[in-house]
Amino acid sequence: MALARFLAKNVKRTTALPAVLLFFTLLTVNFFIMPGALSRSFLVSFLNTNTAVICLTMGASVVIIAGGIDISLGPMVSVANVMLIKLLAAGTHYSAAIPLTVLATTAMGLLNGVLVAVLRGSSLLTTFAASTVYSGIALLVMPVPGGSVAREMTAFYNGSLLGIPATVFFILAPYVVWKAFKRTPHGIRLYAAGNNPAKAYSSAVNVPAEKLFAFGFAGFSAGIGTVALTSSIGSGDPLIGAQMSMMAISAAVIGGVSLSGGYGDITGGIFGSLFLGLITVIVLSSNISSFLQQFVSGVILLLGMIGAMLFTMRRGEKARRSADRGGGTAHGE
Amino acid sequence: MLRFENISKTYGQVRALSNASLAVAGGEIRGILGGNGSGKSTLVKIAGGTVVPDSGAIYLDGARTAIGSPKDAKKAGIIMTSQELSIVPNLTVEENLLLSRFPARFGILSDARRARRLSREMLDRLELGHRIDSEVAGLPENELYLLEFGKALIQDGDILLLDEITSALYDNNVAVVRSILRECKAANKTILFISHRMEELYSICDSVTVMRNGEAVGTFGIAEKNENELLTLMAGQVCPASGKVSGTGKAADARPVVEADSIPIRQYRKSVSIKVMPGEIIGVAGLQGHGQSEIVRTLHGMRGEVSIRIAGRPTTIRSPRQAVRHGFAFISGDRQTEGVFKEHSVGDNLAVVGELAKRGKAADARKALDAINVKYSGIFQKLTSLSGGNQQKVIVGRWTSTDPLLILADDPTKGIDVRARSDLHALFAGMAKRGSALVMVSSDDNELVSLCAHSDNSRVIVLYEGGIVATLRGMDITRDNIIAAAIPQKVGAGDGAR
């Protein structure tokens, strides 16, 4: 019921709807393939494995809304993951190591932000370069996977708090920060800056500051995602985030965030990443030959995208028609 | 009190302002009149912080004030509207209205309730109350300009710089702006009002400054000079009265080039029919949003499929591309989004639909540009470095080489000075004389009167609520007749014309 109300408020009449429909479609499909796919234990473990990508998607969404793109978020996760493991191995208590990790990724995000927003670098080029640097650092710090985390971290992550799976709180952290930001006047300023920086500037909006926030937020989200991921797998891997940047950006776009900037929100992105996660589950649980798995998940993704596009187009037409009618009555007298 | 002192600004080769000085007192509405490229907009942009001058200073109440950004200007109480609009398409009307000044609680949290009250109040004053939650993307042009005006007002500055805020407005909108400006004047605000419409300057302003070639050539009380004297000052030479060109006169027996039995005017669920003869000039008039734009845009294939007859042959137009292939030309008044290719040169912009061959393009382009009287320094300069009027001439120039069957124009001279406007009219008239038909929408009734004076083979159709309520020809084409038809006094009025 609460979910229904949440969806009604955040999804209805927004660009997030296609992603939500895709998610629930696959969830239904999965139910028929894998009995027990709607059980709490399945859903929690599904969420556990996808929290990192969800956090990254929120970060990627906000950067795209602000008119940029950040493809270094995945490598950022790699660096943060090996850093966290190394800190713990060096005897740092997790209560210090975790904030340090989040701080480090936020700083990396802000660095991207300064290069893009203040020094006016192209965000694609800048974050591509940064991603190479971050991947390099991760390999330097920990050439081969290994290490372990504090037992408390795994226990907390796999447990629940007040009856709510702990992983949900990791998703909520960036979510709440963004929603709070949107409740300030900066909310619309960031959207304006992302869509049309020149017009935003002449409206007395501090465009670099808004972009800086977006990149910093993405770094923060990557940090939270890293902590979740590290708690979940319990070890360090310098290549762990390599594929995540594109996953996050794709999920954001499926979730209705427009690459032209200034449109969409993070709610859609969350469902976009859940949809991507479900594709993997379905492909794995339906006993498809491993040679075919990649092909099949690619086809599902493409079909999903086409469906979402058709849906959005049809809705756009409807909206236009009703806008015409609205205009008519408005001018009637 | 706002004072500009010896402001100069050069863009590349073009000198936009040279030692311009100007002072306006509180409680004064100062009109600024000048041809396109005379430096009016640049002057306003310098005070508004979006352009930094090469030299010169701005004084506020006697104190020299440095303005480096729109933020600085806002802090100093200077609020500017932009001819290019500062409205962002992805936000709603309310959000745009408050983008520069969103009310906050404790200095941080958005105060949605106060925001709603402020915007509701402002929109009601602008008669846009019903649009508060609308997406800006679908709004008609005049409402966008009203919104830009409201966005400036709501910031509550001491100095208002209004750069052609009325250029897309209809008479009823202008009346709203006029009464609001009177209130601002009573509140002792300083107002700079740029407009190309003479009657507005006379009815709104206390005084007027004429600009020419980047200088303020004179400031007068509004009653001191008549219209012709101002135009002469502005041009620096005697303004030629628009002469009457005799039409081809062979229209009577010719077949219509284009006939459309049913052009849907969706917002009124009506449709109009139109028959266009070769070389004919048809002006389309009416109040805001009564379907004028729909006619030209539908004919150009911009509103989905439309069935028409071209020289008697039934044809379906599905897209602008097809329309162009059938010999239609479309000229939008909304240059920024529908006209120019911003990052490209004057020559490229001219050639985009023309038949100017790649080789020898330069020579041909120069000839074409000279023929249409464009002020430019080189065909490889960026189009956007030209003034608005010259940009629009280049856009019209695109089509002159193709000898279009039918020219469709949607308020093409919006925001263009009187001289460039009459140049464009002459250009249209010349094309009509060579056989192109012209259907032109205008938000300025006077313009249609002077356009139609170019040819005997012309008429004005007036729309009201999606239907043609009057057709005026010859001596009947006057501003008064157009207005009378556009605002029917009672049911069935409108001169009984079809």
Side-chain angles (χ1 to χ4, degrees):
Chain A
M1 203 58 229
L3 180 73
R5 224 174 313 129
F6 171 81
L7 290 180
K9 185 160 169 258
N10 282 278
V11 172
K12 221 177 121 199
R13 289 147 67 75
T14 71
T15 48
L17 193 51
V20 175
L21 293 180
L22 284 175
F23 168 70
F24 282 109
T25 310
L26 276 205
L27 199 63
T28 317
V29 170
N30 191 41
F31 178 71
F32 287 108
I33 296 174
M34 191 172 85
L38 289 179
S39 67
R40 181 179 160 107
S41 66
F42 167 77
L43 290 176
V44 170
S45 76
F46 171 67
L47 212 54
N48 274 352
T49 48
N50 284 288
T51 295
V53 175
I54 291 175
C55 287
L56 243 57
T57 302
M58 288 190 262
S61 300
V62 169
V63 172
I64 297 171
I65 291 169
I69 196 159
D70 191 342
I71 59 170
S72 72
L73 292 176
M76 223 184 260
V77 168
S78 302
V79 179
N81 167 251
V82 299
M83 179 187 147
L84 180 53
I85 294 294
K86 284 283 174 185
L87 279 175
L88 293 169
T92 318
H93 193 256
Y94 65 84
S95 64
I98 288 174
L100 274 176
T101 305
V102 176
L103 223 64
T105 55
T106 309
M108 285 187 261
L110 286 173
L111 179 68
N112 286 342
V114 169
L115 294 174
V116 171
V118 184
L119 301 177
R120 310 249 179 129
S122 133
S123 63
L124 186 68
L125 202 57
T126 305
T127 58
F128 174 65
S131 70
T132 319
V133 173
Y134 298 153
S135 307
I137 295 175
L139 280 166
L140 217 59
V141 173
M142 188 185 273
V144 284
S148 63
V149 298
R151 202 173 302 130
E152 293 92 330
M153 283 171 66
T154 327
F156 174 77
Y157 189 69
N158 290 319
S160 57
L161 202 67
L162 309 166
I164 299 166
T167 191
V168 170
F169 293 99
F170 288 84
I171 297 171
L172 273 179
Y175 188 84
V176 167
V177 169
W178 168 245
K179 287 293 172 184
F181 178 84
K182 272 189 82 177
R183 293 288 287 272
T184 74
H186 285 286
I188 58 172
R189 289 181 200 150
L190 187 140
Y191 275 84
N195 184 261
N196 197 322
K199 291 187 174 188
Y201 174 75
S202 58
S203 305
V205 171
N206 188 342
V207 176
E210 304 301 340
K211 291 203 172 188
L212 200 59
F213 169 83
F215 279 97
F217 173 80
F220 169 77
S221 309
I224 300 290
T226 304
V227 176
L229 182 70
T230 311
S231 309
S232 158
I233 59 171
S235 64
D237 179 351
L239 296 174
I240 192 144
Q243 305 298 319
M244 286 190 182
S245 294
M246 278 330 270
M247 290 262 285
I249 291 169
S250 313
V253 174
I254 292 171
V257 174
S258 161
L259 284 173
S260 61
Y263 290 99
D265 203 346
I266 60 176
T267 312
I270 294 175
F271 284 94
S273 36
L274 289 174
F275 167 69
L276 290 184
L278 267 183
I279 293 181
T280 313
V281 170
I282 285 184
V283 170
L284 289 181
S285 61
S286 57
N287 297 323
I288 295 173
S289 135
S290 56
F291 297 105
L292 273 175
Q293 280 173 6
Q294 213 168 0
F295 170 76
V296 172
S297 46
V299 169
I300 298 177
L301 179 58
L302 275 177
L303 287 177
M305 274 173 52
I306 292 168
M309 281 185 316
L310 290 177
F311 182 82
T312 311
M313 268 161 63
R314 253 193 61 172
R315 218 166 41 153
E317 234 161 70
K318 255 192 209 162
R320 228 185 350 269
R321 247 178 264 139
S322 76
D324 279 350
R325 273 200 297 280
T329 45
H331 286 304
E333 190 49 64
Chain B
M1 165 104 176
L2 168 69
R3 188 155 63 89
F4 298 89
E5 197 172 278
N6 293 326
I7 306 262
S8 294
K9 175 73 189 179
T10 307
Y11 294 106
Q13 301 281 311
V14 182
R15 201 164 174 77
L17 283 174
S18 54
N19 288 319
S21 298
L22 178 72
V24 198
E28 181 180 354
I29 305 181
R30 168 73 54 85
I32 297 192
L33 183 66
N36 282 322
S38 64
K40 312 173 302 281
S41 293
T42 309
L43 195 70
V44 162
K45 282 179 182 164
I46 284 170
T50 54
V51 169
V52 178
D54 299 335
S55 64
I58 289 174
Y59 293 83
L60 285 177
D61 296 323
R64 187 174 171 146
T65 309
I67 296 167
S69 71
K71 254 195 137 137
D72 291 348
K74 200 182 151 221
K75 250 179 230 150
I78 304 177
I79 311 295
M80 157 188 131
T81 70
S82 165
Q83 205 183 335
E84 292 91 29
L85 295 178
S86 64
I87 305 296
V88 192
N90 60 329
L91 301 181
T92 67
V93 166
E94 180 182 25
E95 287 167 341
N96 263 295
L97 199 59
L98 293 167
L99 180 57
S100 305
R101 180 200 179 225
F102 206 94
R105 272 176 299 178
F106 321 118
I108 307 176
L109 280 181
S110 304
D111 188 340
R113 206 179 309 156
R114 201 146 65 88
R116 177 65 30 161
R117 210 188 58 228
L118 278 172
S119 47
R120 160 89 47 214
E121 228 166 72
M122 179 57 67
L123 291 172
D124 283 344
R125 278 171 86 187
L126 296 170
E127 298 174 1
L128 287 180
H130 57 287
R131 295 291 201 196
I132 192 161
D133 288 319
S134 298
E135 296 282 334
V136 154
L139 291 191
E141 191 105 60
N142 61 319
E143 296 189 3
L144 289 176
Y145 277 83
L146 278 178
L147 185 56
E148 176 86 5
F149 180 55
K151 185 179 165 192
L153 285 178
I154 217 163
Q155 294 177 56
D156 202 27
D158 298 321
I159 297 170
L160 268 179
L161 312 173
L162 305 173
D163 190 358
E164 290 187 27
I165 198 67
T166 53
S167 62
L169 298 189
Y170 293 82
D171 285 348
N172 51 336
N173 303 140
V174 175
V176 169
V177 170
R178 185 185 301 127
S179 78
I180 291 178
L181 288 182
R182 293 239 166 89
E183 288 169 38
C184 293
K185 175 182 156 70
N188 207 35
K189 299 199 170 179
T190 305
I191 297 160
L192 277 189
F193 183 83
I194 299 180
S195 173
H196 289 308
R197 295 181 178 172
M198 285 293 181
E199 80 258 26
E200 283 173 13
L201 291 173
Y202 280 102
S203 70
I204 291 176
C205 302
D206 304 312
S207 55
V208 59
T209 295
V210 178
M211 293 195 66
R212 189 173 71 222
N213 298 330
E215 287 174 72
V217 294
T219 298
F220 313 95
I222 196 66
E224 284 174 46
K225 299 268 173 200
N226 69 26
E227 200 167 308
N228 241 336
E229 287 169 324
L230 288 179
L231 286 178
T232 307
L233 269 169
M234 176 181 142
Q237 63 193 61
V238 179
C239 231
S242 55
K244 200 162 176 157
V245 182
S246 64
T248 51
K250 61 182 178 185
D253 49 78
R255 269 205 305 178
V257 266
V258 172
E259 293 165 275
D261 296 330
S262 151
I263 298 172
I265 311 292
R266 280 210 199 96
Q267 62 265 45
Y268 293 105
R269 295 159 194 247
K270 285 189 193 165
S271 64
V272 299
S273 70
I274 191 169
K275 205 180 275 184
V276 189
M277 309 302 281
E280 188 180 24
I281 295 178
I282 302 179
V284 185
L287 295 176
Q288 64 178 75
H290 279 247
Q292 298 94 305
S293 297
E294 294 305 308
I295 293 185
V296 287
R297 284 173 186 262
T298 305
L299 283 176
H300 199 60
M302 297 165 83
R303 292 284 187 268
E305 270 186 37
V306 58
S307 298
I308 59 170
R309 286 188 298 283
I310 297 178
R313 289 239 321 268
T315 310
T316 306
I317 303 253
R318 292 186 183 85
S319 66
R321 194 184 151 80
Q322 273 188 342
V324 170
R325 228 185 268 151
H326 284 298
F328 291 8
F330 180 76
I331 295 152
S332 168
D334 196 359
R335 285 184 295 285
Q336 297 302 323
T337 54
E338 294 181 327
V340 302
F341 293 91
K342 282 186 196 168
E343 297 302 320
H344 291 270
S345 69
V346 172
D348 285 347
N349 263 287
L350 192 65
V352 65
V353 293
E355 293 172 342
L356 303 170
K358 199 87 183 162
R359 207 187 327 159
K361 186 164 97 176
D364 284 347
R366 285 200 190 97
K367 217 186 292 166
L369 288 169
D370 289 340
I372 56 181
N373 217 347
V374 175
K375 231 165 107 183
Y376 67 108
S377 57
I379 62 160
F380 295 113
Q381 87 183 99
K382 266 195 189 179
L383 185 75
T384 39
S385 62
L386 299 183
S387 69
N390 282 317
Q391 286 183 29
Q392 193 70 320
K393 282 189 204 167
V394 171
I395 291 164
V396 177
R398 273 178 198 164
W399 305 99
T400 51
S401 54
T402 67
D403 275 324
L405 199 64
L406 175 64
I407 307 164
L408 301 161
D410 191 358
D411 221 351
T413 65
K414 197 186 66 191
I416 288 178
D417 74 85
V418 188
R419 280 196 80 78
R421 179 178 279 197
S422 72
D423 282 352
L424 279 172
H425 288 177
L427 205 59
F428 284 138
M431 290 166 85
K433 220 173 168 184
R434 288 200 300 275
S436 300
L438 169 68
V439 178
M440 175 166 138
V441 174
S442 176
S443 56
D444 183 346
D445 302 332
N446 281 333
E447 159 166 46
L448 292 178
V449 175
S450 60
L451 174 73
C452 288
H454 279 283
S455 163
D456 292 337
N457 188 13
S458 60
R459 65 185 144 122
V460 169
I461 56 176
V462 186
L463 270 78
Y464 183 75
E465 292 194 346
I468 296 176
V469 289
T471 301
L472 307 169
R473 291 177 194 277
M475 301 301 286
D476 288 339
I477 304 177
T478 65
R479 180 160 184 268
D480 291 346
N481 283 349
I482 293 175
I483 292 173
I487 312 168
Q489 301 299 311
K490 51 182 190 284
V491 185
D495 293 353
R498 267 305 78 186

